[in-house]
């Protein structure tokens, strides 16, 4: 089961990398950095799902995506590698930090979607309950997968300490124990 979860996390981070670099970075960086085709894709997504925060981001939303560009992007590459390789102890704490930050950010976004009056917005936002639910569904994977990742990493304090040896799992000594023995 652990390997199935690692492959799921690998896929999540692998898919997340181009989304963050191609789409989400347009929230943080000036538009002249992007070719017209990527700007149109960004606009098409924002208008299609009525995500006016994506098209005209408030400062708090930009701050979230600023963190995503400079913290989550490098971590996504590292996490994709770690979960592809499997059983990498060093990813546990960064995964916990990433998950906690992402869950918190998505809660703020979902609350804004549910409670904000979009009628005065520059771009059309969700006006019906179904449009709000559709927009919420677009953000939901970025809540559910990090929640699962957080749960797995917090529950398994020995994550990455198991090495397969002749079909059985053998626990490696903790680093503090290895240092004492050295």
């Amino acid at each position: 089961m652990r390997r199935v979860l690692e492959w799921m996390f690998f896929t999540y981070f692998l898919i997340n990398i181009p989304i963050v670099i191609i789409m989400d970075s347009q929230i943080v960086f000036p538009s002249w950095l992007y070719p017209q085709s990527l700007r149109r894709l960004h606009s098409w997504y924002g208008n299609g799902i009525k995500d006016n925060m994506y098209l005209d981001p408030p400062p708090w939303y930009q701050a979230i995506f600023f963190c995503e560009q400079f913290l989550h992007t490098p971590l996504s590459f590292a996490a994709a590698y770690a979960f592809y390789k499997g059983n990498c102890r060093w990813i546990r704490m960064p995964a916990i930090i990433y998950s906690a930050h992402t869950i918190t950010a998505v809660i703020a976004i979902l609350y804004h979607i549910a409670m904000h009056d979009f009628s005065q917005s520059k771009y059309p936002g969700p006006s019906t309950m179904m449009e709000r639910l559709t927009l919420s569904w677009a953000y939901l994977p970025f809540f559910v997968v990090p929640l699962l990742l957080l749960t797995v990493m917090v529950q398994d304090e020995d994550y990455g300490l198991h090495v397969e040896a002749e079909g059985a799992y053998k626990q490696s000594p903790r680093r503090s124990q290895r240092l004492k023995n050295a």
Side-chain angles (χ1 to χ4, degrees):
M1 182 64 176
R2 172 183 279 176
R3 196 65 188 135
V4 171
L5 288 171
E6 286 177 329
W7 277 106
M8 186 186 74
F9 297 144
F10 162 71
T11 304
Y12 168 82
F13 283 107
L14 191 67
I15 291 170
N16 197 36
I17 291 168
I19 293 171
V20 168
I21 293 172
I22 293 170
M23 296 290 286
D24 294 351
S25 64
Q26 294 185 51
I27 293 169
V28 177
F29 300 117
S31 62
W32 58 265
L33 288 173
Y34 300 91
Q36 185 65 29
S37 58
L38 291 182
R39 291 195 307 260
R40 277 197 304 269
L41 179 63
H42 180 85
S43 179
W44 171 81
Y45 167 78
N47 286 316
I49 201 161
K50 292 194 173 184
D51 191 348
N52 70 350
M53 294 179 296
Y54 212 70
L55 299 171
D56 187 25
W60 65 268
Y61 191 79
Q62 286 177 317
I64 290 170
F65 284 87
F66 180 84
C67 290
E68 184 181 60
Q69 292 305 305
F70 295 104
L71 300 174
H72 293 192
T73 302
L75 183 114
S76 291
F77 281 100
Y81 168 78
F83 292 120
Y84 174 78
K85 186 176 177 192
N87 221 20
C88 293
R89 174 87 174 143
W90 56 266
I91 198 61
R92 183 173 178 263
M93 192 52 64
I96 290 171
I97 294 167
Y98 166 84
S99 297
H101 181 265
T102 302
I103 291 166
T104 304
V106 173
I107 287 171
I109 292 168
L110 293 174
Y111 184 82
H112 184 78
I113 292 168
M115 305 306 280
H116 185 71
D117 177 13
F118 292 98
S119 63
Q120 303 299 318
S121 301
K122 180 178 174 182
Y123 295 96
S127 56
T128 67
M129 180 56 76
M130 187 52 119
E131 289 173 346
R132 289 178 191 268
L133 288 173
T134 301
L135 182 54
S136 296
W137 276 101
Y139 286 97
L140 207 55
F142 302 101
F143 177 82
V144 173
V145 175
L147 182 61
L148 180 60
L149 178 61
L150 180 66
T151 303
V152 168
M153 293 295 143
V154 168
Q155 282 186 343
D156 190 357
E157 291 182 20
D158 292 332
Y159 178 83
L161 290 179
H162 307 285
V163 253
E164 198 166 333
E166 297 157 14
Y169 280 104
K170 177 184 162 192
Q171 185 171 350
S172 302
R174 291 197 179 268
R175 183 171 186 266
S176 59
Q177 291 170 338
R178 289 192 311 258
L179 293 175
K180 281 182 192 176
N181 296 337

